[in-house]
Amino acid sequence: MRTVSKVIVALAVLATPLAGLPAAPPAAASPTDAAFNTSSGALDVDYAGYLSKHDIVYNRPNTNPAYGLTVGNGRTGAMAWQANGLTMQVSGVDVSQQTAFGAGLANLATTPAMDSGYSTYQQRLSLYDGTLTTKYDSNRTVTVMGSPNSEVMGIHVDDTRGGVSAVTLELSLWDVANLANSGDVPNLDTWRTVSTYADAGGAGLSRGQADPQNFGYTLAATVEGANYSASVVNGSRVRLSITPTSSYTIWFTAATRLNAPGNNSVNQARNALNAVKGTGYSTTLNNYRNWWHSFWGRSFVQYSGLSGDADYLENVYYLSTYLIAAGGYGNYPYHFINGVFRSTGDATKWSNAYWYWNQRDVYNSFLASNHVDLMNNFNRLYSRNYNALKAYTQTRYGVDGLWVPETMGWDGNARGTVGSDYTKNILSTGYEAAYNMYLQYRYTNDGTYLRDTAYPYIRETAKFYSRMLSVDGAGKFYMASSNSHETYWNVRNAITDLAAVRSIFPVAIQVSQQLGVDADLRPQWQNILNNLVPYPTENSAYVPHQPPISQTRNNENVAAELIWPYNITGIGYPDYQTAVNTWNRRPFPYGNVWANDAIQAARLGLGDQTFQGMKTMLRQYQNYPNGFTNNTNGVFEYHGVHLSAMNEALLQSYDDKIRVFPAAPGDSSFVGKFTLLAKNGFLVSSEREAGETKYVGLRSQWGATARVVNPWGTQQVRVRRASDNAILLTTSSAEFEFATAANTVYVVERTAKPLTNYTPARLTGTQNQGAKSLSGTASTLGIASTANPMVNDTAATYDSNWYLTTSRGYGDYNDDTHHSTVVNAAASYTFTGTGIDYLSERFSDMGTVDVYLDNAFQATVDLRVSGARQVQQVVWQRGGLPRGQHTIRVVNRSTSNGMIDAFRITP
């Protein structure tokens, strides 16, 4: 049980400039140009060039599975590293409940080895194309890609070397004999049972074939462009032996029973592989690239400057978008800790269910980035379980309404919630699910979705709260006892419940009027709103529940939920200063991998704090060069938090008012440009350079009334219709509104400096060729051709008895260390070189550790010393090793502190 909480083509015109428009020159940052295309209603972007500067590049082979680069087609993904050739762990969104189990390993090996006898090497994750390409000199290229809208991926090999005598592709599984039930599956034996096949059509392995919930899969492969034979190596390994040729494609699939006719994953695997072979590599690659190009063309973000730090944050924005979208189109959501990318076999945590707190972090940014289809995949998990949840609410509470468990399985089960004191009395999750469905309507104008899906959730959530609230002697409604999320248990007037009521009841009243239904419920809802007790406060700040504050059980900033995602306070609200005080006094700043502090800072218009918050999150959690983390409480949450924070810094519309750059950093070097989606269907574009916002461009998709906050305070602005340059409004108001027509473009511009004062420009970029780093942190993206001799402690692999401490202030390398007080707690690091230094602190509270190198015992090291604390001490070293790959292992030997600060590698 988890005890640390979390949780395409409609606008394809954006992908390329419209035909017939004059081509604008590529633009560097300049306060005198503007990239808004008044015909398309979006920024004019060379997406291929612009995204290429964000490619993740490894300029030397990576042998660490945790650093593997990632490639996925929306439903199936692979994480790749160098091990006896190219090795990948393959995963699929729907292979098992909550994606708890991986699909298997794929290994491509040649004789002589693909990675032998070369002088130049580069592996590139191309975000724009969605491909992972590895090049060895000019005569070997391996491209991993996918087939869109399928569970099939491919490995294309161009190898013109002479003398290649053998090529094999092996599919295999790790040892599943001791598999634990992390996925809350009803029949664990079927997941421990592996079957294989090999015939003229290919080879595969399957498990979960008897899963009563119709999960399970077949991992299978075939070859296009070369002769091959298939064989079963053993009970968990199959092989394709390929006749060497200069160009061939290996197709593989994690075909799921869930998505297969008759739940037959073996037949599905065979049919899918035959189909993609029939289509062929060239056409499939072109279709795959076009799928990703269309995806990227729906929005755009530039967040740059500040001595390059903002550029790094922007790079993470695009990488994070890719990582989530690459697995975001399955039948079920992209699980916050599993996703489709990992290198740890079946090992995972928190996989018995979806935590709403974590999942919202992963998904909530995709409304603003104009990928509502991704958000719908999240919302659908809850809407498809409406009937089951309604029935369970009646059983558990005796209430005609809707309660949603914070920890919910794929089928709506609450087993992970009702058995946990942390989650069993959380009442507000149903509100969050209902509100997110309502937001989906507000971004799409899909009236059918509102009537049939969103409103039933809204109504039933309101009915549930109507029954759960108590009434005091003065006629005031209050919550007698519930959890203020996971952190405060069984408290009075949890702020999450009061906020849920204040947020969802007005929506329920308004939508029921709009739809002409449930008139009899509205007076009750309005009466509760009129007589709800106020939020609990202390010292001019909101607090999580009615004081005194109860024992803290987790490290959530619960009172700040009002700011985001509950959306009921922020810039311009009467309680704005109270909200700021609440954020400033939050008890757990950036307290975990799912911390949404930076999003809330943006909502409050705190631009510098938003920038520093995004940077802080990456410093603490983005410690692998592929963008991932070693934090085992989550994997993908901080990616989603980063996306939401940046979107909110650039554009806000949660209160139906369009604000551009509401939380831009104060530094004049900041450059911000975007095309994002606002509520009510406005595609909004704007640019800011040298402290100046240039214009606001709006494309109205369905003709709603636009409400805009004047970016220039009370300077006079005008609203111009782009099609005929008609001036519709001139005003000096701080806020204004105007009617729009569907599919029409408008420009909000200063009367004294209209958009025509700027030179037209097109945004592009130069392809990245190396590694990047974030100043003042150990965060990097990519791997340089020459290794950094210093390796931070976060790069090692630790068992569960080691603990990371950050911001120590003692002078440790990167200001962090790992420590353990558990005997036999082990940590290891694999490196390539001829020597290694092991660095640690020495102090009076330290103990002893044993050091092993390549599985051979080396020494017992005593870290104790009297007197002042000593930092960055070389406590053990070894040189003169044969050049190659080696592994150091550190084992704690006492109940005093064993510690690792860093390693220094000799090339």
Side-chain angles (χ1 to χ4, degrees):
M1 183 57 229
R2 189 174 190 197
T3 59
V4 179
S5 176
K6 358 1 93 186
V7 212
I8 268 208
V9 193
L11 294 174
V13 67
L14 294 179
T16 55
L18 295 180
L21 290 176
S30 169
T32 63
D33 62 29
F36 186 61
N37 184 322
T38 55
S39 295
S40 68
L43 295 182
D44 187 0
V45 181
D46 166 21
Y47 281 87
Y50 196 89
L51 265 75
S52 73
K53 70 180 184 176
H54 299 310
D55 290 351
I56 309 302
V57 175
Y58 285 6
N59 281 320
R60 69 178 190 275
N62 163 50
T63 60
N64 187 340
Y67 293 0
L69 286 181
T70 49
V71 57
N73 68 353
R75 297 170 67 183
T76 302
M79 193 164 172
W81 63 94
Q82 298 289 150
N84 188 33
L86 182 71
T87 294
M88 300 183 292
Q89 177 166 331
V90 182
S91 294
V93 181
D94 300 319
V95 298
S96 64
Q97 293 86 338
Q98 294 88 228
T99 324
F101 305 137
L105 297 172
N107 172 258
L108 171 66
T110 65
T111 305
M114 190 76 71
D115 54 353
S116 64
Y118 66 87
S119 57
T120 61
Y121 172 96
Q122 188 175 83
Q123 187 173 66
R124 175 181 297 273
L125 172 59
S126 168
L127 299 178
Y128 183 62
D129 288 340
T131 55
L132 179 63
T133 303
T134 309
K135 293 185 177 182
Y136 312 84
D137 293 338
S138 59
N139 58 358
R140 282 155 285 173
T141 302
V142 179
T143 302
V144 186
M145 38 72 73
S147 174
N149 304 309
S150 78
E151 295 173 330
V152 178
M153 301 202 46
I155 307 168
H156 181 74
V157 180
D158 290 307
D159 187 354
T160 59
R161 294 176 297 166
V164 177
S165 60
V167 179
T168 61
L169 186 283
E170 289 193 348
L171 303 177
S172 63
L173 270 171
W174 38 88
D175 184 6
V176 298
N178 298 314
L179 181 66
N181 198 357
S182 60
D184 189 31
V185 303
N187 179 0
L188 191 58
D189 286 341
T190 189
W191 291 97
R192 293 174 176 149
T193 302
V194 182
S195 58
T196 59
Y197 79 86
D199 55 30
L205 52 85
S206 306
R207 63 175 176 158
Q209 296 298 293
D211 184 88
Q213 296 169 339
N214 295 325
F215 288 91
Y217 65 93
T218 297
L219 176 63
T222 190
V223 181
E224 172 193 344
N227 294 324
Y228 69 95
S229 62
S231 60
V232 174
V233 179
N234 57 40
S236 61
R237 185 182 299 269
V238 298
R239 178 182 297 152
L240 300 180
S241 299
I242 304 167
T243 302
T245 185
S246 61
S247 181
Y248 55 94
T249 306
I250 299 164
W251 296 107
F252 63 92
T253 180
T256 60
R257 293 179 66 228
L258 194 71
N259 299 314
N263 304 125
N264 190 323
S265 64
V266 176
N267 285 348
Q268 178 76 352
R270 296 179 191 273
N271 293 338
L273 293 175
N274 285 336
V276 76
K277 282 180 69 174
T279 302
Y281 168 70
S282 296
T283 299
T284 302
L285 176 62
N286 187 60
N287 293 341
Y288 177 72
R289 286 171 171 165
N290 287 341
W291 186 85
W292 275 111
H293 298 173
S294 179
F295 174 88
W296 292 117
R298 297 181 68 87
S299 58
F300 174 82
V301 158
Q302 180 178 349
Y303 189 97
S304 62
L306 288 87
S307 301
D309 281 355
D311 301 80
Y312 188 97
L313 301 185
E314 180 189 318
N315 203 144
V316 173
Y317 179 95
Y318 283 104
L319 174 60
S320 297
T321 300
Y322 176 84
L323 291 174
I324 297 170
Y329 290 94
N331 201 328
Y332 283 91
Y334 190 97
H335 190 272
F336 67 93
I337 203 166
N338 296 328
V340 293
F341 299 125
R342 63 183 194 259
S343 59
T344 56
D346 290 326
T348 179
K349 292 169 65 176
W350 320 134
S351 298
N352 61 307
Y354 298 90
W355 267 256
Y356 203 96
W357 177 288
N358 304 72
Q359 293 295 145
R360 72 186 190 186
D361 282 354
V362 175
Y363 275 97
N364 276 16
S365 72
F366 287 102
L367 292 173
S369 60
N370 199 19
H371 298 293
V372 184
D373 47 356
L374 274 172
M375 186 66 171
N376 183 55
N377 266 17
F378 177 34
N379 285 339
R380 192 175 64 222
L381 172 67
Y382 295 89
S383 62
R384 77 200 311 175
N385 286 305
Y386 172 85
N387 290 330
L389 293 169
K390 272 276 292 178
Y392 189 72
T393 303
Q394 181 68 50
T395 298
R396 187 173 192 221
Y397 292 100
V399 166
D400 179 21
L402 187 68
W403 171 80
V404 175
E406 169 64 18
T407 306
M408 191 184 86
W410 67 279
D411 58 354
N413 77 75
R415 287 188 295 272
T417 285
V418 298
S420 167
D421 289 330
Y422 284 84
T423 56
K424 67 183 181 183
N425 206 17
I426 295 175
L427 306 184
S428 55
T429 307
Y431 149 73
E432 290 200 60
Y435 190 74
N436 265 346
M437 292 177 199
Y438 176 65
L439 286 180
Q440 182 172 326
Y441 159 71
R442 291 297 302 275
Y443 277 83
T444 62
N445 202 34
D446 185 341
T448 300
Y449 181 82
L450 176 67
R451 182 189 67 241
D452 296 343
T453 303
Y455 178 67
Y457 248 80
I458 295 166
R459 179 191 64 226
E460 298 304 313
T461 298
K463 287 167 60 179
F464 175 73
Y465 268 117
S466 297
R467 292 291 303 275
M468 298 302 291
L469 291 167
S470 300
V471 185
D472 65 17
K476 294 294 183 180
F477 291 88
Y478 69 97
M479 183 59 68
S481 179
S482 66
N483 280 18
S484 191
H485 222 270
E486 287 199 9
T487 300
Y488 310 95
W489 300 352
N490 305 317
V491 295
R492 186 180 178 94
N493 286 328
I495 199 169
T496 42
D497 294 319
L498 302 182
V501 171
R502 285 197 170 89
S503 179
I504 204 66
F505 276 43
V507 172
I509 293 167
Q510 184 270 316
V511 176
S512 69
Q513 291 173 329
Q514 178 181 338
L515 297 176
V517 296
D518 296 326
D520 57 319
L521 295 176
R522 291 177 218 148
Q524 178 188 15
W525 292 339
Q526 190 62 58
N527 182 50
I528 291 172
L529 275 175
N530 293 344
N531 293 284
L532 188 67
V533 296
Y535 298 132
T537 60
E538 273 189 339
N539 300 319
S540 302
Y542 295 124
V543 292
H545 61 85
Q546 184 173 314
I549 301 303
S550 69
Q551 179 181 347
T552 298
R553 311 281 185 165
N554 207 338
N555 56 343
E556 304 163 331
N557 300 311
V558 180
E561 294 279 283
L562 276 65
I563 305 165
W564 184 95
Y566 285 39
N567 298 342
I568 49 179
T569 187
I571 303 168
Y573 278 75
D575 65 342
Y576 172 76
Q577 189 56 54
T578 305
V580 171
N581 295 343
T582 303
W583 189 84
N584 284 334
R585 297 175 195 166
R586 65 200 190 283
F588 307 107
Y590 306 102
N592 215 310
V593 70
W594 36 256
N596 42 55
D597 308 42
I599 312 174
Q600 293 159 350
R603 277 289 175 87
L604 295 171
L606 307 176
D608 291 333
Q609 291 91 326
T610 303
F611 165 72
Q612 291 297 337
M614 288 189 284
K615 188 173 176 180
T616 296
M617 287 292 285
L618 296 183
R619 179 184 65 80
Q620 293 184 181
Y621 303 117
Q622 191 260 300
N623 37 41
Y624 291 163
N626 55 3
F628 283 128
T629 183
N630 66 354
N631 186 291
T632 59
N633 289 322
V635 175
F636 299 101
E637 298 101 313
Y638 76 97
H639 290 284
V641 166
H642 187 83
L643 298 178
S644 290
M646 192 169 290
N647 286 346
E648 295 289 338
L650 300 174
L651 172 69
Q652 292 178 18
S653 65
Y654 68 97
D655 59 352
D656 297 321
K657 299 175 183 179
I658 294 171
R659 287 182 174 85
V660 300
F661 302 109
D667 192 312
S668 62
S669 73
F670 171 72
V671 177
K673 305 183 182 191
F674 68 86
T675 295
L676 292 168
L677 186 63
K679 280 171 71 177
N680 301 321
F682 293 105
L683 201 66
V684 181
S685 302
S686 191
E687 299 178 65
R688 182 177 178 85
E689 295 183 69
E692 175 186 281
T693 298
K694 300 177 181 181
Y695 63 88
V696 181
L698 296 93
R699 177 173 180 160
S700 176
Q701 296 185 114
W702 63 74
T705 296
R707 297 177 176 85
V708 180
V709 174
N710 188 338
W712 304 282
T714 55
Q715 291 186 44
Q716 189 181 78
V717 300
R718 64 189 190 187
V719 178
R720 175 169 56 89
R721 186 168 56 218
S723 59
D724 59 0
N725 291 322
I727 305 301
L728 307 181
L729 174 69
T730 300
T731 180
S732 297
S733 298
E735 299 179 9
F736 52 89
E737 64 180 49
F738 57 95
T740 72
N743 299 312
T744 303
V745 177
Y746 303 86
V747 178
V748 178
E749 56 193 358
R750 288 166 292 179
T751 305
K753 193 174 183 180
L755 178 62
T756 53
N757 278 28
Y758 296 91
T759 304
R762 191 174 195 220
L763 304 178
T764 189
T766 301
Q767 188 181 61
N768 178 41
Q769 297 295 339
K772 301 178 181 180
S773 60
L774 181 62
S775 70
T777 78
S779 300
T780 62
L781 291 173
I783 296 177
S785 56
T786 302
N788 178 355
M790 288 295 289
V791 176
N792 195 41
D793 59 289
T794 53
T797 300
Y798 298 88
D799 67 23
S800 59
N801 295 313
W802 289 82
Y803 302 95
L804 173 67
T805 56
T806 61
S807 304
R808 290 175 62 77
Y810 295 134
D812 302 298
Y813 181 71
N814 197 45
D815 202 20
D816 63 358
T817 65
H818 271 79
H819 74 275
S820 179
T821 57
V822 177
V823 175
N824 293 325
S828 62
Y829 177 70
T830 299
F831 64 96
T832 300
T834 62
I836 184 169
D837 296 349
Y838 160 30
L839 283 71
S840 174
E841 292 180 8
R842 290 188 190 271
F843 194 48
S844 56
D845 64 353
M846 300 291 187
T848 57
V849 296
D850 286 347
V851 179
Y852 295 79
L853 186 67
D854 298 334
N855 294 319
F857 175 74
Q858 302 294 309
T860 296
V861 177
D862 191 347
L863 303 178
R864 285 180 294 242
V865 67
S866 60
R869 184 185 303 269
Q870 301 175 7
V871 297
Q872 294 199 40
Q873 299 297 297
V874 177
V875 297
W876 180 86
Q877 62 185 170
R878 175 73 183 275
L881 299 171
R883 186 179 303 277
Q885 186 170 293
H886 304 278
T887 299
I888 185 173
R889 186 164 171 261
V890 179
V891 180
N892 190 42
R893 300 304 301 161
S894 76
T895 56
S896 297
N897 283 304
M899 182 174 286
I900 298 174
D901 181 16
F903 301 109
R904 182 184 294 116
I905 309 302
T906 304

